[in-house]
């Protein structure tokens, strides 16, 4: 029998419909498999991210428990030793190390100018706030997480400004007044704080001045200064104003700028003649580095400070570096340069020498 007589047109149509249905079912099945696979991949990614996040948190907590040594080093914290102080040894360290000076080890010209400072109530209050904030676990985890991802892109200062952390403490109002030999009611006209950061230390000095000017390169830190209503000047603007300053503060900036000798020269020319004063703080031992794009490198202009001890370096700065730059030392003290801590340490401390300088009468010796 011919093939055409075996399969009728109706039967042939049914076969085509069945074939279409099978293809549709197969397509639906494939789509379901694809969707199921994509969901599985998304779930796996979520699971992996969660596991990574938990591992990251566990790692940070483990590191915190492991860091029990008295001194730790960090290239992102001025490449200097950082002192982690536990509650049990805090009082002894504060009283014995932070303010200790051997006057007999100072040079003869500097010895009578040394002002002995002590741990006071404002310093204790800053330390207590730092300890409290370091215990905010979730806040510190967030700060650590953000810092890890931003550090290759922006400076540590900008990260701290963005997160509103890492506030500094150089001196209290009482210590500032003692160093300048003034009382609480003393007032003057203009203060300029170079590299003012978030303005916390500026506020200690600013209470004594009618006008407060500040410079800062970090955008987040500029926001903090503007919120405090300080007058911001550019880093190439402050030395070219039509007026001069009664006091210029340069706190822990000399070892973090490209041209420190030029900076000292600009400061000398910007002070009110005779009565103008420079408040300068320097971390000792003196180790200059400049942060560029999250990396540390040597400044273009190098100041070499001789001596191994705090007293020897203070003497060398006074008799050599400052004298050649056209300054004379009026007073010097030893203070801790404190910084708010993180989830690893309650706070950080570096060894500061804080000077009060006046322009030398013999300016021919200036650099």
């Amino acid at each position: 029998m011919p093939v055409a007589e075996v399969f009728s047109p109706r039967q042939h149509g049914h076969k085509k419909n069945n074939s279409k249905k099978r293809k549709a079912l197969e397509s639906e099945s494939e789509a379901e498999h694809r969707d199921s696979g994509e969901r599985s991949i998304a779930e796996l990614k979520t699971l992996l991210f969660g596991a990574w996040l938990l591992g990251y948190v566990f790692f940070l907590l483990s590191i915190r428990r492991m860091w029990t040594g008295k001194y730790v080093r960090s290239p992102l914290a001025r490449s200097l030793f950082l002192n982690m102080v536990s509650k049990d040894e805090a009082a002894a360290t504060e009283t014995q190390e932070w303010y200790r000076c051997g006057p007999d080890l100072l040079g003869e010209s500097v010895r009578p100018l040394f002002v002995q400072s002590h741990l006071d109530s404002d310093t204790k209050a800053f330390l207590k706030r730092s300890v409290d904030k370091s215990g905010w676990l979730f806040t510190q985890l967030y700060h650590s997480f953000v810092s890890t991802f931003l550090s290759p892109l922006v400076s540590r200062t900008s990260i701290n400004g963005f997160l509103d952390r890492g506030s500094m403490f150089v001196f209290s109002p009482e210590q500032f007044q003692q160093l300048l030999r003034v009382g609480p009611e003393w007032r003057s006209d203009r203060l300029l704080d170079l590299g003012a950061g978030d303005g916390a230390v500026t506020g200690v000095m600013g209470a004594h001045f009618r006008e407060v000017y500040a410079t800062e390169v970090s955008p987040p830190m500029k926001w903090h200064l503007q919120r405090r209503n300080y007058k911001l000047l550019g880093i190439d603007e402050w030395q070219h104003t039509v007026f001069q300053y009664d006091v210029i503060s340069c706190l822990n900036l000399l070892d973090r700028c490209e041209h420190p000798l030029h900076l000292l020269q600009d400061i000398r020319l910007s002070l009110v003649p005779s009565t103008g004063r420079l408040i300068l703080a320097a971390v000792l031992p003196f180790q200059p580095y400049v942060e560029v794009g999250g990396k540390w490198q040597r400044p273009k202009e190098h100041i070499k400070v001789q001596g191994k001890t705090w007293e020897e370096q203070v003497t060398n700065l006074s008799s050599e570096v400052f004298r050649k730059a056209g300054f004379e030392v009026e007073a010097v003290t030893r203070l801790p340069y404190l910084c708010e801590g993180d989830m690893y340490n309650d706070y950080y401390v570096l060894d500061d020498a804080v000077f009060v300088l006046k322009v030398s009468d013999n300016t021919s010796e200036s650099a």
Side-chain angles (χ1 to χ4, degrees), residues 123-189:
T123 309
K124 290 179 181 179
F126 177 85
L127 294 173
K128 184 180 183 304
R129 288 195 302 270
S130 297
V131 172
D132 291 342
K133 290 177 71 172
S134 70
W136 299 348
L137 180 60
F138 291 105
T139 299
Q140 297 300 339
L141 286 173
Y142 167 72
H143 287 175
S144 179
F145 185 80
V146 173
S147 179
T148 299
F149 282 94
L150 291 183
S151 56
L153 305 175
V154 296
S155 69
R156 177 68 57 175
T157 301
S158 292
I159 293 173
N160 287 340
F162 173 73
L163 295 174
D164 194 16
R165 71 168 190 180
S167 187
M168 304 293 186
F169 186 96
V170 179
F171 40 61
S172 66
E174 180 182 348
Q175 291 164 345
F176 174 72
Q177 294 161 19
Q178 180 187 25
L179 196 59
L180 272 182
R181 297 185 178 92
V182 297
E185 303 302 321
W186 176 76
R187 295 291 183 273
S188 191
D189 288 329

Side-chain angles (χ1 to χ4, degrees), residues 295-339:
K295 298 181 179 180
W296 295 98
Q297 61 186 35
R298 289 284 185 178
K300 295 179 180 177
E301 197 174 67
H302 183 62
I303 292 179
K304 185 177 181 180
V305 180
Q306 297 179 350
K308 295 182 179 180
T309 66
W310 186 90
E311 292 84 358
E312 289 174 347
Q313 292 209 351
V314 165
T315 300
N316 185 255
L317 280 168
S318 303
S319 60
E320 295 294 330
V321 177
F322 297 150
R323 182 183 62 81
K324 291 179 179 179
F327 289 98
E328 293 179 12
V329 177
E330 272 197 342
V332 59
T333 189
R334 184 172 188 171
L335 289 170
Y337 178 29
L338 298 166
C339 175

Side-chain angles (χ1 to χ4, degrees), residues 171 176 179-180 182 186-194 202 205-206 208-214 238 243-251 267 270-273 275-280 327 330 355-358:
F171 40 61
F176 174 72
L179 196 59
L180 272 182
V182 297
W186 176 76
R187 295 291 183 273
S188 191
D189 288 329
R190 296 187 185 92
L191 165 71
L192 170 65
D193 190 10
L194 299 173
T202 315
M205 301 178 288
H208 295 279
F209 296 87
R210 298 177 182 88
E211 297 179 42
V212 179
Y213 296 85
W238 62 270
F243 52 83
Q244 292 175 303
Y245 309 94
D246 297 279
V247 171
I248 296 178
S249 58
C250 179
L251 305 178
I267 291 174
S270 300
L271 285 169
V272 173
T275 60
R277 294 296 182 267
L278 166 61
I279 311 296
L280 188 145
F327 289 98
E330 272 197 342
F355 299 86
V356 177
L357 304 174
K358 66 176 182 179

